[in-house]
Amino acid sequence: ESSYEDARAAWQQAASRPATLLATDSTDAEAWYGLADAEYHAASNTNLQSLDTMRAMLTRSLHGFERAIALDSTFHLAYEHLVRLYQIGASPMSGLVIANDTFEVASAAGDTARVVALQVAAQERVKDFALGWVAQDPSASQAWQSLADTYGVLKQFDSASATLGRATERPDVYTPSMAYTRPLYRVLSGDVLTAQSELRAAIARFPGDSIRKRESVAEVFMPIMGMSIAGAGGQVALVDELATEARNAGETLPLPGLPTQLAAGWFAAGIKLGMGVPPTPALLNTIRKGQRTLQTLQGVQDQIAEQVRFQAAGVLYVTFLATGDSTFAVSAMNWGTAGTGRFIELDALLALARGDSVEARRIAATFPAPGVLRNARLSFGGLRVITQAEVRARLGDLRGAADVYGAISPANFQINLSEPGVAMYTRSFLSRARILEQLGDREAALEAYETFSAMWETADPSLQDQRREAQAAIARLRDAGVTRAIGVSGAPD
């Protein structure tokens, strides 16, 4: 409550100054920008829960930025915020749409057809703003990053990667954030191998010192984000290298004051478990030590501490999957839902651990259907849905498990800092292939084995057993196909 009141007081103070200026001079572009900026951050950075309140604030913000540009067409910061505002209107996840330069709550904006039409219109508008900004100021790094992020919001990840690829040719424009974001977009488009090489290129091009000079974003966040990308390819050594980069970036993380040494080790341990590294005593000691620190963050506002724990919940989640220790499941649910709910798939696994298959089946019956998952936002890098598929398989619902695996798209992943779910996604192709082979679906199983084998091509030697299993299955299934084909062609009339 106090943090909300503090934020609201800061917003009122920020808004009062430009409002006073506009009362005497309505043609002051900077004042319009300041007022719009205050409304924007009040709506997006004060943990508002009311969509209707956000709608009103964002509408005022939109009008203010548009007014600033009408008065001064070179006001690039206003372009940046207009892109962000229209990204909100374009995203099905935001709960808001834009109609006639006014935000509306999507659920009250009319039927589905109208909502979709408004989102499509916002998508075109946001691209126009972003492209226009780059055209008007091609030397502005923020313009290029904003255009790439716009494509990212629209799930056009190939276009996002291509935009950042063009930016690489401009040393005055290309930033460490772009270098680290580009391989993430590759992963979200399913191109794991290219992502690995681009991540290594980012580390080589922007070592710690150059990040510090070129970036306003805290440099520690980039190598931590890169761990998800490394995990997708089974790159244990690369994860360790990124952890070292993070440790060298500073003593503490910004805002929560969390020791970087601890945070880097924590996220690295989670990624390793997601890749299938055994839960050694050393790894578990790192995770337990971090858990104790995160649980009792000192000198940090409750809202910030809660957000930090949410961003770290995936590590506890994957630790439960790797160990079966129910205390990690309980903590993952407390952190990942802020104590307000349950991860039902973990409840199902706990029921199975107790031998209560009846309860596990009851819970599994409430899982989202594969058709729903195809367009759903998948939290923790898809980790929860992958676990739901595993529960279905353990209950004998192989077809249901295969369908869930088939519905998972990295384009729908929500990623907080570093997610072991991205590594689990790559490995899910191996799990899916095993199930499809059991179901007798040779062609689909072969495709899944081949996909995993390709993604895991450069995986750490300690993890190559997984790829060898896939390659052996590929040879077996190909041989089976040839044998059947010969039998058919040589059959008597």
Side-chain angles (χ1 to χ4, degrees):
E1 183 67 29
S2 61
S3 62
Y4 171 77
E5 292 302 328
D6 291 343
R8 183 167 182 80
W11 164 69
Q12 289 174 334
Q13 184 180 27
S16 65
R17 294 169 183 168
T20 301
L21 291 173
L22 289 171
T24 57
D25 183 5
S26 62
T27 64
D28 189 330
E30 289 194 11
W32 279 110
Y33 172 84
L35 187 61
D37 191 55
E39 294 281 6
Y40 173 81
H41 288 288
S44 58
N45 295 110
T46 56
N47 202 30
L48 281 177
Q49 302 299 313
S50 169
L51 281 176
D52 198 57
T53 301
M54 289 179 65
R55 174 202 64 77
M57 286 182 165
L58 292 176
T59 295
R60 293 194 294 269
S61 179
L62 178 62
H63 293 168
F65 288 127
E66 288 178 334
R67 182 65 172 150
I69 286 178
L71 292 166
D72 181 358
S73 62
T74 66
F75 212 125
H76 298 148
L77 288 174
Y79 277 108
E80 178 182 5
H81 284 80
L82 283 172
V83 169
R84 293 181 185 176
L85 286 165
Y86 272 93
Q87 284 174 348
I88 293 171
S91 172
M93 307 300 181
S94 71
L96 297 169
V97 293
I98 301 174
N100 300 318
D101 283 346
T102 301
F103 275 90
E104 297 181 16
V105 177
S107 60
D111 58 25
T112 302
R114 180 173 185 263
V115 169
V116 170
L118 290 172
Q119 289 167 345
V120 170
Q123 290 170 8
E124 293 305 314
R125 193 81 184 275
V126 74
K127 279 194 286 189
D128 288 343
F129 276 125
L131 287 165
W133 187 11
V134 169
Q136 201 174 73
D137 192 359
S139 63
S141 296
Q142 301 98 316
W144 287 88
Q145 184 72 63
S146 184
L147 178 58
D149 290 345
T150 294
Y151 284 125
V153 168
L154 302 180
K155 299 184 181 180
Q156 298 173 12
F157 300 116
D158 288 340
S159 295
S161 296
T163 297
L164 296 177
R166 292 196 301 275
T168 63
E169 301 167 6
R170 302 182 58 105
D172 60 322
V173 164
Y174 201 54
T175 66
S177 287
M178 293 180 188
Y180 277 86
T181 303
R182 191 182 184 198
L184 180 61
Y185 284 140
R186 292 287 193 190
V187 168
L188 295 177
S189 64
D191 189 355
V192 169
L193 280 181
T194 303
Q196 305 301 303
S197 62
E198 288 182 353
L199 177 59
R200 290 189 180 278
I203 297 170
R205 182 166 180 174
F206 294 110
D209 287 345
S210 68
I211 295 177
R212 207 169 295 127
K213 295 173 183 175
R214 294 286 304 275
E215 278 292 338
S216 57
V217 178
E219 61 187 280
V220 65
F221 291 131
M222 276 168 271
I224 288 178
M225 178 184 72
M227 290 180 188
S228 294
I229 304 162
Q235 298 278 337
V236 177
L238 187 52
V239 169
D240 287 335
E241 183 179 344
L242 288 163
T244 298
E245 288 281 334
R247 292 185 183 102
N248 292 337
E251 293 185 1
T252 60
L253 294 185
L255 293 181
L258 185 66
T260 303
Q261 179 79 14
L262 182 145
W266 165 273
F267 285 113
I271 296 294
K272 288 177 182 179
L273 292 178
M275 289 188 288
V277 173
T280 62
L283 271 181
L284 294 179
N285 182 59
T286 296
I287 290 169
R288 289 193 176 99
K289 183 178 179 181
Q291 182 181 3
R292 289 192 296 270
T293 302
L294 285 162
Q295 188 62 53
T296 57
L297 281 173
Q298 300 295 318
V300 179
Q301 289 184 347
D302 290 345
Q303 183 179 334
I304 294 175
E306 185 177 288
Q307 181 65 22
V308 171
R309 284 192 283 269
F310 174 80
Q311 292 176 332
V315 175
L316 295 177
Y317 192 117
V318 79
T319 306
F320 166 65
L321 297 182
T323 64
D325 186 335
S326 62
T327 61
F328 290 116
V330 172
S331 294
M333 285 190 273
N334 284 336
W335 290 15
T337 65
T340 63
R342 309 285 296 182
F343 290 155
I344 56 176
E345 69 281 359
L346 295 190
D347 283 327
L349 284 179
L350 291 170
L352 285 171
R354 297 192 304 269
D356 191 349
S357 60
V358 173
E359 175 64 6
R361 289 182 190 281
R362 184 195 67 77
I363 296 171
T366 68
F367 289 168
V372 173
L373 294 172
R374 292 186 189 280
N375 296 309
R377 180 170 58 181
L378 306 182
S379 60
F380 301 110
L383 190 55
R384 295 193 60 194
V385 178
I386 293 166
T387 305
Q388 290 172 20
E390 171 65 18
V391 170
R392 290 177 185 269
R394 289 181 59 177
L395 289 170
D397 180 13
L398 298 185
R399 174 49 60 189
D403 289 346
V404 169
Y405 280 129
I408 299 172
S409 169
N412 296 329
F413 285 176
Q414 300 296 300
I415 298 176
N416 298 295
L417 283 182
S418 182
E419 293 291 1
V422 182
M424 294 286 287
Y425 166 70
T426 299
R427 295 176 62 214
S428 75
F429 281 94
L430 182 59
S431 301
R432 181 184 179 190
R434 292 170 182 149
I435 290 170
L436 289 167
E437 188 174 4
Q438 287 182 324
L439 290 169
D441 194 338
R442 190 185 73 88
E443 292 299 326
L446 185 58
E447 181 181 359
Y449 279 126
E450 289 173 337
T451 299
F452 171 74
S453 182
M455 288 181 169
W456 218 241
E457 180 180 331
T458 59
D460 193 83
S462 65
L463 300 177
Q464 282 293 328
D465 281 350
Q466 298 174 62
R467 187 165 187 258
R468 282 190 284 272
E469 177 192 342
Q471 290 177 312
I474 290 168
R476 181 176 64 250
L477 291 174
R478 284 177 178 167
D479 288 345
V482 170
T483 301
R484 280 198 296 274
I486 292 173
V488 171
S489 63
D493 293 334

